[in-house]
Each structure stands twice: as C-alpha cells, then as structure tokens.
Amino acid sequence: MVTPTARRVESLARSGIQAIPKEYVRPKEELMSIGNIFEEEEKDEGPQVPTIDLKEIDSEDRVEREKCREELKKAAMDWGVMHLVNHGISDDLTERVKRAGQAFFDQPVEEKEKYANEQASGKIQGYGSKLANNASGQLEWEDYFFHLIYPEDKRDMSIWPKTPSDYTEATSEYARQLRSLATKILAVLSLGLGLEEGRLEKEVGGLEELLLQMKINYYPKCPQPELALGVEAHTDVSALTFILHNMVPGLQLFYKDKWVTAKCVPNSIILHIGDTIEILSNGEYKSILHRGLVNKEKVRISWAVFCEPPKDKIILKPLPETVSEQKPAMFPPRTFQQHIEHKLFRRTQDALLSDEE
C-alpha cells in the first residue's frame, strides 16, 4: 500500500532521486519550450510583464488618477497580468504572510499530513498534491495548502494551520486588505468598460458572495527541471487572482505566441485577470495562459489568492453593454461551476486526442 507521504512531491525530492518518475515528465512537444528559469529571468529582450504603480489610483488629482487607472485598464486588456506596486498593503504584512506560510511548509511532512485534504471525497481544503485528473495521468511538481480565507463567516478554522502561531492573524488581516484592493481593481475595470464603478463587483457576488481562496504552492527542488512543470499551462477560472512569491522565478505567461518569464519585482503583488472577468467583459479583458517552471537550486513558494464568484448563484455571460452587432457574445451563459466543468472536460478530451496521435 502506498503511504500518503509517498505521494508528496517534497518527499520525492528529498529521497535523493536523480531522475523524476515518468508521470511528472511533460509530453515531447511541451519539453521543447522549457528552459532554465534563472537564465530566462535574466533576459531583457522581448516583451516584459507590465508593472503598474497604484499610488495614484484614488488621487485627488484627476489627471494623475486617470493616468494610473488607464495604465491598469490597458495592462488588463493587453496582457491580463501585471505586477502591482504601491498597492497599499504593507511590506510588513506581506512578509508576515510569507513567513507564516513558509514556516508551515518547513515542518516535517508527517506534521503537514495532519491537515491532509481528501480530494476523492470532495474535501478540497487542506494540504495536498495534484492528483492525475486527466486522461494523460500527468502530475505537477508541487505540493500545496488550500483554504477559504474570506468572507470570515464562511471560513473553516479547524483546517487552518496551528503552527506557526502567527498564521491565522497574518493571513486573516491580509485577506481583509486584499478584499479592499479587489474592490478598487474591479471599480477601475468597470469604469474601463463604460459601466458604473460597482457593477463588476456586483456581478461577481459582492462582499457577501465573492470568495477568496488561498493556495500556497510549494515547489520543491527538482533533479530534472527541464522535464517537469510546477503547474501546467492554464488560465485562472477566478475573477481576479493575486499572487505573492518568495522571489524565486517560475511564472511564465503565453503572450503573442511565446512564453515570457515574469521578473521578480520586489514588494509587488502579481495580479491576474481570470476567466470570470474575461467572460463578463466579452473578451475586452484577457485571462492569460500561464504556467510555473521549477529548478534544481531553490525551493519556490507562491501565495495565490483566487477571488471567485459563488458556484451556482450567478450566470456568467458577457454583460449586455459589452455585446454589439460588431462584437457578438463570445461566451455562452454558464454558472461558475459549469465553466469549471467545461474546462475539465475539454482538457480530458484534448489529452485523449493527443494519446491517440
């Protein structure tokens, strides 16, 4: 019988293996695009993920305020991903969140197993590793900790790590501040579509229903990083995703038919526009394809917070104001749950087709 710890990528990485198991090896056509992440990050030629300074997002000075908002809107339309600086969340708080998450993962695997999730039974919160959920049986080189962090009345505190002692306080405060930042971003994106500033927030569930789910991704050192991926190429299903990381590069974006490596920008939070906003905006704002690379030298940790609409209460479809004869609706009406299922079904179909070729 396989012990639970044998499934953990961290245990695998620490076992001293020189070659990774075949289920972690990416398909041939994918391997051609995987390079050394440290070399990739140093390259300065070609397009770079935009950095948006939010300092003036609420400025009294109308010109400064509009300039800041216009830059954010442009990045959301062109890239769908950006580094946010001067985002209003203190470096002290983001460092506490990162220290707390790292301290949880620094514990022995046996300690973390006390928080193990059970994906098969639908208990998705807790400590886990990717299970093969597609026909090709591929696995990703990561372990993770996943839980709902906002609204506060929907949290299950029994699943929150007891160690380190600062975990709950730091993560809770970060969730509150991130929720306010999400409101600001959604307001700017609404205005960018010619809508009232509260419109997108309302369409994704408002303060009561928009869920903030945190996933701490832990990518152990990998003996053959050129063969594996930490996270396979995907777009986020969320409305918005905010990401902190431990300044080890790994994120790549598929922009204009090429993989572009995101730089490590100090004191920034990465913002992704997710599928939900792409659908509501009828494709005006982009949900960009992205993936995570791993490396031999350093453990990479990232803290992703997905801002998600309720699963079944809202029908996601292009807002009437974004649809015209020239620009018909690009997406059919679906609930958030149906959208997730549609993407999983399509991935499975694609994997089956590639197996047959």
Side-chain angles (χ1 to χ4, degrees), residues 205-223:
L207 273 177
E208 283 73 41
E209 299 286 351
L210 185 70
L211 304 176
L212 270 59
Q213 315 257 24
M214 180 185 267
K215 184 169 176 242
I216 308 175
N217 300 298
Y218 183 87
Y219 307 103
K221 296 176 195 175
C222 180

PDB file of all heavy atoms in Angstrom, residues 205-223:
ATOM      1  N   GLY A 205     -20.581  38.769  -7.241  1.00  0.00           N
ATOM      2  CA  GLY A 205     -21.065  38.303  -5.935  1.00  0.00           C
ATOM      3  C   GLY A 205     -21.032  39.306  -4.806  1.00  0.00           C
ATOM      4  O   GLY A 205     -21.586  39.044  -3.736  1.00  0.00           O
ATOM      5  N   GLY A 206     -20.336  40.438  -5.012  1.00  0.00           N
ATOM      6  CA  GLY A 206     -20.318  41.454  -3.954  1.00  0.00           C
ATOM      7  C   GLY A 206     -19.614  40.984  -2.690  1.00  0.00           C
ATOM      8  O   GLY A 206     -19.012  39.906  -2.661  1.00  0.00           O
ATOM      9  N   LEU A 207     -19.713  41.785  -1.640  1.00  0.00           N
ATOM     10  CA  LEU A 207     -18.988  41.492  -0.389  1.00  0.00           C
ATOM     11  C   LEU A 207     -19.411  40.184   0.261  1.00  0.00           C
ATOM     12  O   LEU A 207     -18.620  39.499   0.881  1.00  0.00           O
ATOM     13  CB  LEU A 207     -19.181  42.640   0.610  1.00  0.00           C
ATOM     14  CG  LEU A 207     -18.187  43.794   0.488  1.00  0.00           C
ATOM     15  CD1 LEU A 207     -18.526  44.894   1.473  1.00  0.00           C
ATOM     16  CD2 LEU A 207     -16.748  43.314   0.721  1.00  0.00           C
ATOM     17  N   GLU A 208     -20.694  39.819   0.112  1.00  0.00           N
ATOM     18  CA  GLU A 208     -21.187  38.603   0.784  1.00  0.00           C
ATOM     19  C   GLU A 208     -20.744  37.326   0.070  1.00  0.00           C
ATOM     20  O   GLU A 208     -20.460  36.324   0.694  1.00  0.00           O
ATOM     21  CB  GLU A 208     -22.729  38.594   0.852  1.00  0.00           C
ATOM     22  CG  GLU A 208     -23.314  39.508   1.929  1.00  0.00           C
ATOM     23  CD  GLU A 208     -23.196  40.972   1.561  1.00  0.00           C
ATOM     24  OE1 GLU A 208     -23.428  41.294   0.380  1.00  0.00           O
ATOM     25  OE2 GLU A 208     -22.846  41.776   2.448  1.00  0.00           O
ATOM     26  N   GLU A 209     -20.740  37.377  -1.260  1.00  0.00           N
ATOM     27  CA  GLU A 209     -20.627  36.125  -2.009  1.00  0.00           C
ATOM     28  C   GLU A 209     -19.285  35.873  -2.705  1.00  0.00           C
ATOM     29  O   GLU A 209     -18.980  34.744  -3.059  1.00  0.00           O
ATOM     30  CB  GLU A 209     -21.740  36.047  -3.068  1.00  0.00           C
ATOM     31  CG  GLU A 209     -23.146  36.066  -2.492  1.00  0.00           C
ATOM     32  CD  GLU A 209     -23.531  34.754  -1.820  1.00  0.00           C
ATOM     33  OE1 GLU A 209     -22.776  33.773  -1.938  1.00  0.00           O
ATOM     34  OE2 GLU A 209     -24.594  34.715  -1.184  1.00  0.00           O
ATOM     35  N   LEU A 210     -18.502  36.933  -2.969  1.00  0.00           N
ATOM     36  CA  LEU A 210     -17.207  36.708  -3.630  1.00  0.00           C
ATOM     37  C   LEU A 210     -16.293  35.997  -2.636  1.00  0.00           C
ATOM     38  O   LEU A 210     -16.089  36.470  -1.525  1.00  0.00           O
ATOM     39  CB  LEU A 210     -16.574  38.029  -4.088  1.00  0.00           C
ATOM     40  CG  LEU A 210     -15.276  37.892  -4.898  1.00  0.00           C
ATOM     41  CD1 LEU A 210     -15.529  37.303  -6.285  1.00  0.00           C
ATOM     42  CD2 LEU A 210     -14.566  39.236  -5.042  1.00  0.00           C
ATOM     43  N   LEU A 211     -15.770  34.839  -3.033  1.00  0.00           N
ATOM     44  CA  LEU A 211     -14.945  34.029  -2.130  1.00  0.00           C
ATOM     45  C   LEU A 211     -13.467  34.254  -2.416  1.00  0.00           C
ATOM     46  O   LEU A 211     -13.053  34.275  -3.575  1.00  0.00           O
ATOM     47  CB  LEU A 211     -15.265  32.540  -2.316  1.00  0.00           C
ATOM     48  CG  LEU A 211     -16.721  32.116  -2.145  1.00  0.00           C
ATOM     49  CD1 LEU A 211     -16.871  30.626  -2.453  1.00  0.00           C
ATOM     50  CD2 LEU A 211     -17.214  32.420  -0.728  1.00  0.00           C
ATOM     51  N   LEU A 212     -12.673  34.385  -1.361  1.00  0.00           N
ATOM     52  CA  LEU A 212     -11.219  34.449  -1.517  1.00  0.00           C
ATOM     53  C   LEU A 212     -10.633  33.125  -1.036  1.00  0.00           C
ATOM     54  O   LEU A 212     -10.767  32.766   0.137  1.00  0.00           O
ATOM     55  CB  LEU A 212     -10.632  35.614  -0.716  1.00  0.00           C
ATOM     56  CG  LEU A 212     -10.523  36.959  -1.458  1.00  0.00           C
ATOM     57  CD1 LEU A 212     -11.893  37.417  -1.947  1.00  0.00           C
ATOM     58  CD2 LEU A 212      -9.887  38.027  -0.593  1.00  0.00           C
ATOM     59  N   GLN A 213     -10.031  32.388  -1.970  1.00  0.00           N
ATOM     60  CA  GLN A 213      -9.453  31.081  -1.662  1.00  0.00           C
ATOM     61  C   GLN A 213      -7.939  31.195  -1.797  1.00  0.00           C
ATOM     62  O   GLN A 213      -7.457  31.599  -2.847  1.00  0.00           O
ATOM     63  CB  GLN A 213      -9.920  30.041  -2.697  1.00  0.00           C
ATOM     64  CG  GLN A 213     -11.393  30.101  -3.012  1.00  0.00           C
ATOM     65  CD  GLN A 213     -12.172  28.997  -2.320  1.00  0.00           C
ATOM     66  OE1 GLN A 213     -11.725  28.463  -1.289  1.00  0.00           O
ATOM     67  NE2 GLN A 213     -13.299  28.652  -2.848  1.00  0.00           N
ATOM     68  N   MET A 214      -7.222  30.853  -0.729  1.00  0.00           N
ATOM     69  CA  MET A 214      -5.754  30.926  -0.812  1.00  0.00           C
ATOM     70  C   MET A 214      -5.154  29.552  -1.100  1.00  0.00           C
ATOM     71  O   MET A 214      -5.541  28.559  -0.501  1.00  0.00           O
ATOM     72  CB  MET A 214      -5.137  31.463   0.478  1.00  0.00           C
ATOM     73  CG  MET A 214      -3.613  31.525   0.391  1.00  0.00           C
ATOM     74  SD  MET A 214      -2.834  32.033   1.942  1.00  0.00           S
ATOM     75  CE  MET A 214      -2.705  33.787   1.687  1.00  0.00           C
ATOM     76  N   LYS A 215      -4.216  29.534  -2.053  1.00  0.00           N
ATOM     77  CA  LYS A 215      -3.471  28.303  -2.331  1.00  0.00           C
ATOM     78  C   LYS A 215      -1.987  28.639  -2.207  1.00  0.00           C
ATOM     79  O   LYS A 215      -1.459  29.443  -2.973  1.00  0.00           O
ATOM     80  CB  LYS A 215      -3.803  27.802  -3.744  1.00  0.00           C
ATOM     81  CG  LYS A 215      -3.138  26.472  -4.076  1.00  0.00           C
ATOM     82  CD  LYS A 215      -3.705  25.886  -5.380  1.00  0.00           C
ATOM     83  CE  LYS A 215      -2.969  24.612  -5.764  1.00  0.00           C
ATOM     84  NZ  LYS A 215      -2.278  24.719  -7.043  1.00  0.00           N
ATOM     85  N   ILE A 216      -1.354  28.066  -1.189  1.00  0.00           N
ATOM     86  CA  ILE A 216       0.101  28.235  -1.057  1.00  0.00           C
ATOM     87  C   ILE A 216       0.732  27.104  -1.857  1.00  0.00           C
ATOM     88  O   ILE A 216       0.554  25.920  -1.540  1.00  0.00           O
ATOM     89  CB  ILE A 216       0.560  28.177   0.410  1.00  0.00           C
ATOM     90  CG1 ILE A 216      -0.253  29.144   1.273  1.00  0.00           C
ATOM     91  CG2 ILE A 216       2.054  28.486   0.516  1.00  0.00           C
ATOM     92  CD1 ILE A 216       0.067  29.055   2.770  1.00  0.00           C
ATOM     93  N   ASN A 217       1.433  27.467  -2.917  1.00  0.00           N
ATOM     94  CA  ASN A 217       2.074  26.478  -3.790  1.00  0.00           C
ATOM     95  C   ASN A 217       3.519  26.278  -3.342  1.00  0.00           C
ATOM     96  O   ASN A 217       4.270  27.240  -3.229  1.00  0.00           O
ATOM     97  CB  ASN A 217       2.080  26.972  -5.238  1.00  0.00           C
ATOM     98  CG  ASN A 217       0.684  27.209  -5.764  1.00  0.00           C
ATOM     99  OD1 ASN A 217      -0.120  26.296  -5.856  1.00  0.00           O
ATOM    100  ND2 ASN A 217       0.376  28.459  -6.108  1.00  0.00           N
ATOM    101  N   TYR A 218       3.899  25.022  -3.115  1.00  0.00           N
ATOM    102  CA  TYR A 218       5.253  24.700  -2.661  1.00  0.00           C
ATOM    103  C   TYR A 218       5.916  23.847  -3.732  1.00  0.00           C
ATOM    104  O   TYR A 218       5.492  22.722  -3.997  1.00  0.00           O
ATOM    105  CB  TYR A 218       5.162  23.945  -1.330  1.00  0.00           C
ATOM    106  CG  TYR A 218       6.497  23.623  -0.706  1.00  0.00           C
ATOM    107  CD1 TYR A 218       7.133  24.547   0.132  1.00  0.00           C
ATOM    108  CD2 TYR A 218       7.126  22.400  -0.926  1.00  0.00           C
ATOM    109  CE1 TYR A 218       8.363  24.253   0.715  1.00  0.00           C
ATOM    110  CE2 TYR A 218       8.354  22.102  -0.342  1.00  0.00           C
ATOM    111  CZ  TYR A 218       8.963  23.041   0.477  1.00  0.00           C
ATOM    112  OH  TYR A 218      10.168  22.756   1.049  1.00  0.00           O
ATOM    113  N   TYR A 219       6.937  24.415  -4.379  1.00  0.00           N
ATOM    114  CA  TYR A 219       7.623  23.721  -5.477  1.00  0.00           C
ATOM    115  C   TYR A 219       9.011  23.288  -5.000  1.00  0.00           C
ATOM    116  O   TYR A 219       9.930  24.111  -4.960  1.00  0.00           O
ATOM    117  CB  TYR A 219       7.774  24.646  -6.681  1.00  0.00           C
ATOM    118  CG  TYR A 219       6.480  25.279  -7.155  1.00  0.00           C
ATOM    119  CD1 TYR A 219       6.184  26.606  -6.862  1.00  0.00           C
ATOM    120  CD2 TYR A 219       5.562  24.549  -7.903  1.00  0.00           C
ATOM    121  CE1 TYR A 219       4.996  27.193  -7.292  1.00  0.00           C
ATOM    122  CE2 TYR A 219       4.373  25.124  -8.343  1.00  0.00           C
ATOM    123  CZ  TYR A 219       4.098  26.445  -8.031  1.00  0.00           C
ATOM    124  OH  TYR A 219       2.922  27.010  -8.459  1.00  0.00           O
ATOM    125  N   PRO A 220       9.180  22.011  -4.625  1.00  0.00           N
ATOM    126  CA  PRO A 220      10.499  21.564  -4.161  1.00  0.00           C
ATOM    127  C   PRO A 220      11.548  21.648  -5.285  1.00  0.00           C
ATOM    128  O   PRO A 220      11.200  21.769  -6.463  1.00  0.00           O
ATOM    129  CB  PRO A 220      10.261  20.101  -3.777  1.00  0.00           C
ATOM    130  CG  PRO A 220       8.781  19.966  -3.625  1.00  0.00           C
ATOM    131  CD  PRO A 220       8.189  20.937  -4.595  1.00  0.00           C
ATOM    132  N   LYS A 221      12.816  21.560  -4.892  1.00  0.00           N
ATOM    133  CA  LYS A 221      13.885  21.476  -5.913  1.00  0.00           C
ATOM    134  C   LYS A 221      13.634  20.228  -6.754  1.00  0.00           C
ATOM    135  O   LYS A 221      13.187  19.208  -6.231  1.00  0.00           O
ATOM    136  CB  LYS A 221      15.253  21.364  -5.235  1.00  0.00           C
ATOM    137  CG  LYS A 221      15.636  22.573  -4.415  1.00  0.00           C
ATOM    138  CD  LYS A 221      16.951  22.312  -3.710  1.00  0.00           C
ATOM    139  CE  LYS A 221      17.202  23.325  -2.617  1.00  0.00           C
ATOM    140  NZ  LYS A 221      18.408  23.019  -1.843  1.00  0.00           N
ATOM    141  N   CYS A 222      13.953  20.340  -8.025  1.00  0.00           N
ATOM    142  CA  CYS A 222      13.658  19.229  -8.936  1.00  0.00           C
ATOM    143  C   CYS A 222      14.943  18.766  -9.621  1.00  0.00           C
ATOM    144  O   CYS A 222      15.656  19.591 -10.211  1.00  0.00           O
ATOM    145  CB  CYS A 222      12.646  19.691  -9.988  1.00  0.00           C
ATOM    146  SG  CYS A 222      12.209  18.418 -11.180  1.00  0.00           S
ATOM    147  N   PRO A 223      15.274  17.459  -9.553  1.00  0.00           N
ATOM    148  CA  PRO A 223      16.544  16.998 -10.156  1.00  0.00           C
ATOM    149  C   PRO A 223      16.581  17.148 -11.686  1.00  0.00           C
ATOM    150  O   PRO A 223      17.648  17.234 -12.262  1.00  0.00           O
ATOM    151  CB  PRO A 223      16.632  15.533  -9.735  1.00  0.00           C
ATOM    152  CG  PRO A 223      15.260  15.133  -9.332  1.00  0.00           C
ATOM    153  CD  PRO A 223      14.559  16.374  -8.867  1.00  0.00           C
TER     154      PRO A 223
END
